[in-house]
Amino acid sequence: MSSRRGNTLKRGSDRLESALKATLALVSVALIPLSIWVGFAVGAAQSALADEQAERSTAVTATTTGASERHSTTPAEYVTAGSFDTAPATWTWNGTVHRDDLAVAPDTAAGTSVEIWVDRDGAATAPPLSSGAVTTAAVVSGMFTWFAATSLMVCAFLVARASIDRHRDRQWERELRLFLGEASRS
């Protein structure tokens, strides 16, 4: 005699757990296109930011006018101690000579050419985002989106499974009491 519901020894809680596992797997795979879309969206936004930064700044060559000096940072509550080197340098922008201390590699000698980025006024500024940084942001964002959503679903599955396991334990205890005849004594 065949059963319409499959294996007769398989409980409803077993079927529910199997359905939850299958749903978790399917949704996890279905999240891949969403994660790719998030990665592309972040990449486009970061690329636009890099283009905007590139329009507002220009690369120029500065020349150090003195040897580099090492500076130490003092540790703070969330910052570790470190060190960095700076050297006085000059560069020309739109016919005007500019002077400032620039971050340089350790042991940089006077007269060394250093490529820097300057803003529209000729002041030293941070370089625009590189294409590598844009790509990294896009990939990490996409991967994090998938990982975070999948992790939340796994946590929800584990909570549901714990509830299912408690239900199974109670059911086993009832059935064992009935089997042993303890139900009439209670």
Side-chain angles (χ1 to χ4, degrees):
M1 184 164 160
S2 76
S3 173
R4 195 178 233 198
R5 296 185 69 185
N7 186 348
T8 57
L9 295 177
K10 199 169 193 181
R11 299 169 289 198
S13 59
D14 296 333
R15 288 184 184 87
L16 177 60
E17 184 177 356
S18 293
L20 288 173
K21 283 180 186 177
T23 301
L24 176 65
L26 287 173
V27 173
S28 173
V29 170
L31 282 172
I32 292 172
L34 172 69
S35 300
I36 291 171
W37 178 81
V38 167
F40 277 120
V42 168
Q46 292 294 301
S47 184
L49 177 62
D51 291 344
E52 180 184 324
Q53 290 174 341
E55 287 177 17
R56 292 185 308 197
S57 58
T58 305
V60 297
T61 301
T63 304
T64 58
T65 57
S68 64
E69 294 180 25
R70 176 144 304 222
H71 303 279
S72 296
T73 59
T74 55
E77 189 172 350
Y78 297 106
V79 179
T80 58
S83 61
F84 61 96
D85 288 20
T86 62
T90 61
W91 63 93
T92 303
W93 175 251
N94 285 339
T96 305
V97 175
H98 296 268
R99 290 177 176 77
D100 200 357
D101 288 341
L102 302 176
V104 293
D107 302 322
T108 299
T112 303
S113 294
V114 179
E115 185 161 314
I116 64 168
W117 288 84
V118 296
D119 61 17
R120 291 181 176 146
D121 298 327
T125 188
L129 290 173
S130 68
S131 62
V134 169
T135 301
T136 300
V139 170
V140 169
S141 297
M143 290 176 64
F144 179 77
T145 298
W146 181 85
F147 180 76
T150 302
S151 295
L152 287 173
M153 290 186 321
V154 167
C155 289
F157 168 77
L158 292 174
V159 168
R161 186 171 156 194
S163 176
I164 291 169
D165 286 344
R166 282 192 304 273
H167 173 73
R168 285 181 188 145
D169 289 345
R170 286 192 303 269
Q171 188 178 10
W172 268 103
E173 286 178 26
R174 275 193 309 270
E175 290 175 4
L176 281 173
R177 277 188 268 141
L178 282 172
F179 179 74
L180 297 173
E182 294 179 7
S184 60
R185 293 183 213 155
S186 303

